[in-house]
Amino acid sequence: MQFNEYLKTCRTANSHTQEALVHALYSFDTEHFKGLDTTTLSKWERGITKPKLAKQVSIIKYFQTLTHVVLPCFDSYSEAEIEESICKVGMQNIITESKSKKLILNFPSDSMSIDDLRVYQLKNFIMIDKVININTYLDKDFNHGFTQLEADDFKKWAQLPGNLFLVCEYFEEIIGLLFVLKLKKSAFEKIINGIIMEKELKNEDFALPHEEGSSYILSFFTLNKKAASMLFVRYYAHLISHQKYIHEVGVATFMEDAQKLIENINLPYHTSSMVGQGKELQFFKAPLSSFLATESVIKMILTKQECKEE
């Protein structure tokens, strides 16, 4: 989707004339929309010109306020269509800027085409046990064995319909994984404040796909930035298509190496606690509205034609 299509769709869906929208935007954000008129708005809608990214974000925030929806006017798009609209190179740039060396390795990727990478739901993946074993090993290494999670825990959670357990494959080789839990808000608050650990989660703590809950990133690891990009593109598409049922996004980590990546995807620091033998566990979280309505995300999802893909 292009910004001009999105703008016109949202204006029409909310029964605004161009004149009414000009007035509403000026009242909502005088700094950004001082001097806006119907001629300029018409050019935006026809794709002749386009507002700066900060103004695009402000327009989306106006419709957020009006509709109480995180990214309004995406209702008519499927998750697959949303995924296709996200600029993979843009996501790759966010990943690259994090300079994470432990979560994103530097396996050669120049000759690796994004078209040859496949992302699957783990529960439908033929090598599920192999992926689970890899993740279990990584979890014990990254988290110093503190979580005490075993392969059976990950495999059980992978089958739950609200969770998103993704694996990235390249010619039958596993090159990345991203595991995300969907928790009921009460369980999420306990996890993100260090009151309970993942091992203590019970079946009733998990939210169903069409039940309100929060998204908790459990595991992430890839061999290179292209695989990381593909996994996060699928994750963002999932968040957008399920936005009515996701309240917050969060993650916990012991790793300094992970913090820059977490900040780059707009998850601010929340709190920390000392656990085990003097290890600091840091927690990050954000409302879904703040997580998605940022310049970096809007640039990825509303400028597809300008995205220079492979």
Side-chain angles (χ1 to χ4, degrees):
M1 183 190 291
Q2 290 295 292
F3 176 77
N4 64 306
E5 299 169 7
Y6 179 81
L7 176 60
K8 189 172 183 179
T9 299
C10 270
R11 179 178 65 77
T12 304
N14 289 282
S15 303
H16 281 22
T17 63
Q18 289 185 341
E19 185 177 357
L21 183 56
V22 166
H23 177 74
L25 289 174
Y26 175 77
S27 299
F28 177 73
D29 187 345
T30 305
E31 180 182 351
H32 275 120
F33 299 110
K34 184 179 181 180
L36 177 63
D37 55 28
T38 55
T39 301
T40 301
L41 183 64
S42 178
K43 288 181 179 179
W44 290 352
E45 289 191 351
R46 287 179 289 152
I48 295 172
T49 60
K50 186 167 63 174
K52 292 182 179 179
L53 206 50
K55 290 184 179 180
Q56 294 181 41
V57 173
S58 188
I59 289 169
I60 288 170
K61 287 184 176 178
Y62 164 71
F63 285 116
Q64 274 185 349
T65 304
L66 190 67
T67 63
H68 306 291
V69 176
V70 173
L71 284 181
C73 313
F74 273 85
D75 305 59
S76 60
Y77 293 87
S78 68
E79 185 168 333
E81 288 172 326
I82 294 170
E83 182 180 353
E84 181 60 29
S85 76
I86 300 176
C87 175
K88 299 178 182 66
V89 172
M91 182 66 76
Q92 193 170 303
N93 289 338
I94 293 175
I95 299 295
T96 302
E97 287 171 5
S98 74
K99 297 181 180 178
S100 174
K101 295 181 179 178
K102 292 185 177 179
L103 294 179
I104 306 169
L105 302 187
N106 195 29
F107 186 81
S109 62
D110 288 345
S111 61
M112 184 181 290
S113 170
I114 280 182
D115 291 336
D116 292 325
L117 289 140
R118 298 285 182 271
V119 175
Y120 300 98
Q121 279 267 30
L122 183 61
K123 61 186 175 184
N124 302 324
F125 191 54
I126 192 170
M127 292 186 282
I128 181 172
D129 290 328
K130 182 177 180 179
V131 176
I132 291 292
N133 288 336
I134 291 171
N135 181 74
T136 306
Y137 169 80
L138 292 171
D139 179 75
K140 293 184 186 304
D141 185 42
F142 291 161
N143 296 311
H144 313 288
F146 180 75
T147 63
Q148 298 182 346
L149 292 171
E150 301 296 339
D152 287 346
D153 297 310
F154 293 113
K155 192 166 185 178
K156 178 178 67 176
W157 293 343
Q159 308 298 327
L160 297 178
N163 294 341
L164 187 72
F165 277 44
L166 302 175
V167 58
C168 185
E169 177 202 57
Y170 179 68
F171 291 120
E172 299 184 355
E173 293 294 331
I174 300 160
I175 63 170
L177 56 87
L178 175 61
F179 294 175
V180 183
L181 305 178
K182 187 179 179 189
L183 301 174
K184 292 180 180 176
K185 288 200 289 184
S186 57
F188 178 81
E189 284 303 312
K190 290 177 183 177
I191 284 280
I192 211 67
N193 287 291
I195 298 170
I196 64 171
M197 298 300 294
E198 292 95 337
K199 185 71 173 178
E200 300 173 75
L201 289 169
K202 300 179 174 59
N203 286 342
E204 56 266 29
D205 292 323
F206 293 89
L208 295 170
H210 293 93
E211 181 180 12
E212 190 172 354
S214 294
S215 183
Y216 180 74
I217 301 172
L218 180 68
S219 302
F220 171 67
F221 175 78
T222 68
L223 293 185
N224 60 37
K225 60 189 179 183
K226 288 186 178 178
S229 171
M230 293 294 289
L231 288 165
F232 270 98
V233 163
R234 174 67 66 85
Y235 179 46
Y236 275 71
H238 175 82
L239 289 175
I240 294 169
S241 66
H242 291 80
Q243 59 181 305
K244 291 182 179 179
Y245 308 101
I246 297 175
H247 180 61
E248 290 183 290
V249 178
V251 66
T253 184
F254 286 102
M255 301 172 63
E256 289 185 16
D257 184 76
Q259 292 175 20
K260 181 63 176 175
L261 174 61
I262 293 168
E263 291 169 1
N264 275 15
I265 62 173
N266 202 40
L267 281 179
Y269 171 81
H270 172 59
T271 189
S272 63
S273 62
M274 301 303 294
V275 297
Q277 297 180 340
K279 298 292 184 182
E280 184 180 25
L281 182 59
Q282 294 195 327
F283 302 88
F284 302 79
K285 74 166 185 173
L288 186 64
S289 56
S290 300
F291 185 72
L292 291 179
T294 66
E295 290 190 14
S296 58
V297 174
I298 300 309
K299 186 176 181 180
M300 284 191 300
I301 64 176
L302 292 179
T303 55
K304 182 64 176 178
Q305 290 176 3
E306 300 166 25
C307 177
K308 200 172 182 180
E309 303 282 18
E310 293 188 343

